[in-house]
Amino acid sequence: MITVTGVVAAVGTALLKIVVSVDAEVRDVTLGELDEGTSGQAGDLVLGAGVTTAEQARAVIDRCADTAAAGLVLKPPLASLPEVTAAAAARNLALVELQSHGSWAQLVWLLRGVIDRAAAPGPPETGEAGVYDELFALADATAAIVDAPVTIEDAQSRVLAYSSRQDRTDPARVSTIVGRRVPGDVVAHFRARGVFRKLTTGSEPIFVPRGPDGTLPRLVIPIRAGGELLGSIWAVVEGPVPVERLRDVQGTASVLALHLLRLRVQADVARRVSSDRLRAALRAPARTGQELGLPRGPWQVVALGVHGGTGEMMDNLALWESITRRHGWRQPLIADVGDVLFAVVTHDGDQPGSRLWMDRLIHDIARHDPRLCAASGSVAREPADLPRSRAEAAELLALHGSARWRGPLLRFEEAWAEVVVRRVVNAVPRNDLLIGGPLPDLVAHDREHGTDYVATVAAWIEQQGDPKRAARQLHVHPNTLRYRMRRLAEIVPVDVESPRTRLALQIQLEALAWPTGRAGGAPSR
């Protein structure tokens, strides 16, 4: 199953934008007929290819709503006209805008791929074998045009396909094909010559002369769609390529753009389906880990955070996916639940995607970006334990930055007591906890006379009655602490020798430190 939001996210903002959001399920795609009595069937995403006026748009909206269509796609400026958006909102119909540079034919092809992939998802980051076969065929066709060996790469310099002819090569090309990725030293070689800057900013072919280190000349053709760089064609040439051949290669690049869009759509849909399954398992128990595509357990859930982050959840998701992939986790198991991102890692081993690997990663990246932090829940030995581990990780993540818990990573086995206390405090309204005892009177006295009796009691209890350590915590002399304890006993009766009294006071002090409605943070004495 895939919704309108999922379809738009899979195709990308280079082509589609949601104008009126209604998360209906999409089952098929169809063209809206202006002269027919209906527009589509239940679950159809209707393409208003022939709609040119606001009156026509409103008529199609009414027919789509009557048939329970999933949504309607229009081009600008129709999609953003107030009367059109108001009509779609009134009929509870999703309205999507196809960017002005987008082709209806191209969109139909992409949407078919999205919907088919959602109906029968495959493993993440893979596409249909036919798409790759077509890429290799196009690589051969391009090689014939320029009379040179060719590789087709994505925007991250990963090799997607290469031509069969290998009559002209150099070490850089051999390393690229064997490793399925352009080696770092080769990337640095071309970056120093400004190739990647030109790829990012332009659409014209780039000729790179022979390098002093034996690197043969290259012809580089950007592959773009809607202004977005999707990849590039790299040909090992003998010298500058004639203009007429360049025109033919650029035509091939336009065809390749559609194939790369289709591959990205397939990967995005597969990742979204995997994410949805993982999200469901983190919320409620699942039957088996195999259903979720998880590696062999046991597992732990890790909450991933960004201190002071104001970005959207999708930005944070992209950030953490990029970090984990860059450090070797090819298919990171990351999903958002509520407003927190979670990763599921294996408890055993030290390979990418394991708990030890994640611990090292968090500490390594925190040295360069202290904003990034994480918290891990306890071990989940069965898939049914994942929601519990998730809840623990989320609670620990809220403790980051407190006086007690420093560092980029918190582990449940180290901070379980804090979770227990916080659960107790959060289970009862704050005012119901502060119903009696000496603490409410001491709070009032401190507020009225400027004394520090509440902090004194807190330090005394926290340091188990040791006057030297309690005084050190308060930055006062031990005799000052003893004097304060005698004075507060004159103000209110308090038996700090009673274990029950100390326990009740600790709970009340925690309630003071975590005001009602506060989502995160920790005690500040």
Side-chain angles (χ1 to χ4, degrees):
M1 184 199 83
I2 189 166
T3 63
V4 174
T5 302
V7 167
V8 172
V11 173
T13 55
L15 280 180
L16 297 180
K17 180 181 74 173
I18 292 179
V19 180
V20 176
S21 179
V22 178
D23 235 9
E25 179 183 354
V26 178
R27 301 173 189 168
D28 203 352
V29 57
T30 187
L31 289 173
E33 299 293 340
L34 295 176
D35 54 352
E36 296 290 334
T38 61
S39 285
Q41 300 177 3
D44 281 358
L45 186 58
V46 179
L47 307 184
V51 179
T52 58
T53 68
E55 184 179 359
Q56 290 174 343
R58 290 197 302 270
V60 174
I61 286 171
D62 288 337
R63 291 203 296 270
C64 287
D66 291 340
T67 57
L72 173 65
V73 182
L74 295 173
K75 274 202 167 186
L78 281 178
S80 55
L81 292 178
E83 59 267 38
V84 175
T85 57
R91 298 303 303 268
N92 199 34
L93 180 74
L95 183 61
V96 180
E97 184 181 76
L98 171 63
Q99 303 293 353
S100 55
H101 58 74
S103 158
W104 288 109
Q106 179 187 14
L107 181 63
V108 170
W109 189 64
L110 288 172
L111 290 177
R112 288 286 183 194
V114 170
I115 296 167
D116 291 345
R117 190 71 173 173
E125 295 196 277
T126 63
E128 298 169 1
V131 180
Y132 285 107
D133 290 343
E134 292 165 5
L135 286 177
F136 277 91
L138 284 167
D140 282 335
T142 307
I145 293 172
V146 295
D147 190 26
V150 162
T151 57
I152 298 172
E153 301 171 10
D154 66 9
Q156 285 76 46
S157 297
R158 292 177 296 204
V159 177
L160 302 175
Y162 49 87
S163 60
S164 55
R165 61 176 292 183
Q166 302 291 333
D167 56 325
R168 188 184 309 123
T169 188
D170 57 14
R173 176 172 167 79
V174 173
S175 300
T176 297
I177 293 176
V178 171
R180 301 289 294 189
R181 176 184 284 276
V182 182
D185 57 340
V186 178
V187 171
H189 169 82
F190 288 112
R191 179 174 286 118
R193 286 154 178 79
V195 175
F196 294 104
R197 176 177 52 79
K198 294 175 183 176
L199 271 177
T200 303
T201 58
S203 57
E204 294 301 315
I206 305 163
F207 178 72
V208 187
R210 182 187 301 269
D213 52 359
T215 304
L216 296 176
R218 293 292 198 277
L219 175 67
V220 188
I221 311 290
I223 303 173
R224 311 186 82 89
E228 179 183 0
L229 180 67
L230 301 176
S232 53
I233 302 169
W234 292 68
V236 182
V237 295
E238 292 180 336
V241 177
V243 175
E244 61 274 10
R245 290 191 179 185
L246 286 179
R247 283 198 297 266
D248 291 340
V249 175
Q250 286 178 296
T252 305
S254 299
V255 177
L256 280 168
L258 293 177
H259 284 72
L260 296 191
L261 278 173
R262 185 176 172 190
L263 275 178
R264 188 178 69 177
V265 163
Q266 290 174 354
D268 285 349
V269 171
R271 181 178 59 81
R272 188 174 295 275
V273 171
S274 174
S275 230
D276 288 344
R277 287 201 302 263
L278 183 60
R279 190 180 298 111
L282 291 173
R283 284 176 172 152
R287 290 192 297 274
T288 67
Q290 192 172 10
E291 292 178 356
L292 307 172
L294 294 178
R296 179 173 298 181
W299 311 275
Q300 281 182 271
V301 179
V302 181
L304 305 171
V306 180
H307 276 312
T310 57
E312 295 293 331
M313 175 60 68
M314 291 306 296
D315 294 336
N316 292 338
L317 175 61
L319 171 66
W320 279 106
E321 283 189 338
S322 173
I323 290 171
T324 51
R325 281 200 177 102
R326 194 165 64 244
H327 287 79
W329 198 5
R330 292 185 57 196
Q331 296 178 11
L333 296 169
I334 301 178
D336 59 292
V337 178
D339 58 354
V340 181
L341 280 179
F342 297 95
V344 177
V345 299
T346 55
H347 177 64
D348 301 324
D350 61 355
Q351 70 282 359
S354 67
R355 182 185 65 85
L356 289 176
W357 173 86
M358 180 65 82
D359 288 359
R360 290 196 301 269
L361 173 64
I362 297 300
H363 285 292
D364 287 345
I365 63 176
R367 286 201 293 265
H368 305 289
D369 190 347
R371 299 177 309 125
L372 302 180
C373 57
S376 60
S378 60
V379 179
R381 303 200 175 276
E382 302 292 337
D385 298 330
L386 289 172
R388 169 186 50 75
S389 185
R390 173 192 65 80
E392 294 163 352
E395 289 174 286
L396 284 180
L397 189 67
L399 299 176
H400 264 293
S402 71
R404 293 180 189 170
W405 302 106
R406 296 295 184 185
L409 176 65
L410 288 182
R411 302 178 184 87
F412 182 78
E413 53 266 31
E414 298 169 350
W416 64 268
E418 199 74 26
V419 173
V420 170
V421 172
R422 181 168 184 175
R423 287 181 180 178
V424 170
V425 172
N426 288 343
V428 180
R430 177 174 180 248
N431 291 337
D432 289 350
L433 288 174
L434 302 175
I435 54 172
L439 201 61
D441 292 335
L442 290 178
V443 170
H445 190 279
D446 282 353
R447 188 177 297 119
E448 184 177 349
H449 298 91
T451 52
D452 292 312
Y453 290 138
V454 172
T456 302
V457 170
W460 182 271
I461 293 175
E462 207 165 298
Q463 301 303 332
Q464 302 180 34
D466 186 318
K468 291 184 179 179
R469 288 191 301 176
R472 194 179 305 120
Q473 179 175 321
L474 294 172
H475 305 291
V476 298
H477 193 275
N479 288 339
T480 303
L481 179 96
R482 293 187 183 94
Y483 171 77
R484 287 186 186 177
M485 292 298 295
R486 288 195 301 271
R487 283 287 300 134
L488 70 88
E490 296 171 3
I491 298 169
V492 292
V494 53
D495 182 9
V496 291
E497 301 300 324
S498 165
R500 284 282 182 177
T501 299
R502 291 198 301 272
L503 175 60
L505 282 171
Q506 281 180 299
I507 293 174
Q508 288 184 324
L509 286 165
E510 295 296 339
L512 283 177
W514 283 321
T516 300
R518 183 171 173 179
S524 54
R525 306 293 187 210

